[in-house]
Amino acid sequence: MMKHDFLILLLFVDDMLVVGQNAKKIASLKKSLSISFAMKDLGPAKQILGMHIVQDKTKNMLWPSQEKYVTKVLQRFNMYNAKSVGSPLTVNNKLNSGQCPKNEKDKGRDEEGVICLGCWEPNVCYGQHEAGHCT
């Protein structure tokens, strides 16, 4: 097996994305799946689950970007022009039940009812962790 001879299949309800470097293997997988499932090939993916897919062909890389989603959330809560800081929470800040959102709108859920922000930035993870104690 070659070093990069693998496929990644991402599936969420009726959205599917197949990623791999071997075009023949991708075509074979899609053909096999189309025998059992009604499928429509929409060509190269530009987005999935609200995430823009960034592709750098010179480096042979793909990665998801949530920039548009984050911008939408910041605009929705009138925070788009807010000054950024290294950590959005004060040190040793403790949340209490009085600070918890009371309804779906206050919880900041998008139209689909799901918060899609990723957790790869440490300050976002910390904030999500702290807010999680508030349910």
Side-chain angles (χ1 to χ4, degrees), residues 40-53:
K40 185 176 182 181
D41 191 340
L42 301 175
K46 293 183 178 38
Q47 72 172 25
I48 189 165
L49 302 177
M51 290 183 286
H52 178 71
I53 298 173

Side-chain angles (χ1 to χ4, degrees), residues 46-114:
K46 293 183 178 38
Q47 72 172 25
I48 189 165
L49 302 177
M51 290 183 286
H52 178 71
I53 298 173
V54 181
Q55 183 174 10
D56 185 340
K57 289 185 178 186
T58 62
K59 295 180 182 176
N60 205 24
M61 293 177 65
L62 300 173
W63 63 92
S65 169
Q66 292 184 303
E67 182 177 353
K68 288 182 182 181
Y69 179 77
V70 171
T71 298
K72 182 175 117 178
V73 170
L74 291 172
Q75 289 171 336
R76 181 179 191 176
F77 291 100
N78 298 317
M79 298 288 295
Y80 185 73
N81 293 317
K83 181 181 174 185
S84 63
V85 294
S87 177
L89 297 175
T90 57
V91 178
N92 297 320
N93 184 39
K94 298 295 178 199
L95 299 175
N96 62 56
S97 61
Q99 295 170 294
C100 292
K102 304 295 185 241
N103 57 50
E104 293 300 307
K105 185 178 179 196
D106 290 343
K107 290 178 184 176
R109 298 188 186 277
D110 66 12
E111 292 79 24
E112 291 82 36
V114 179

Side-chain angles (χ1 to χ4, degrees), residues 13-33:
V13 186
D14 63 350
D15 289 328
M16 181 175 72
L17 178 68
V18 179
V19 180
Q21 291 186 335
N22 187 322
K24 288 181 181 178
K25 284 198 179 277
I26 292 172
S28 175
L29 174 64
K30 290 194 292 190
K31 184 177 179 182
S32 295
L33 290 171

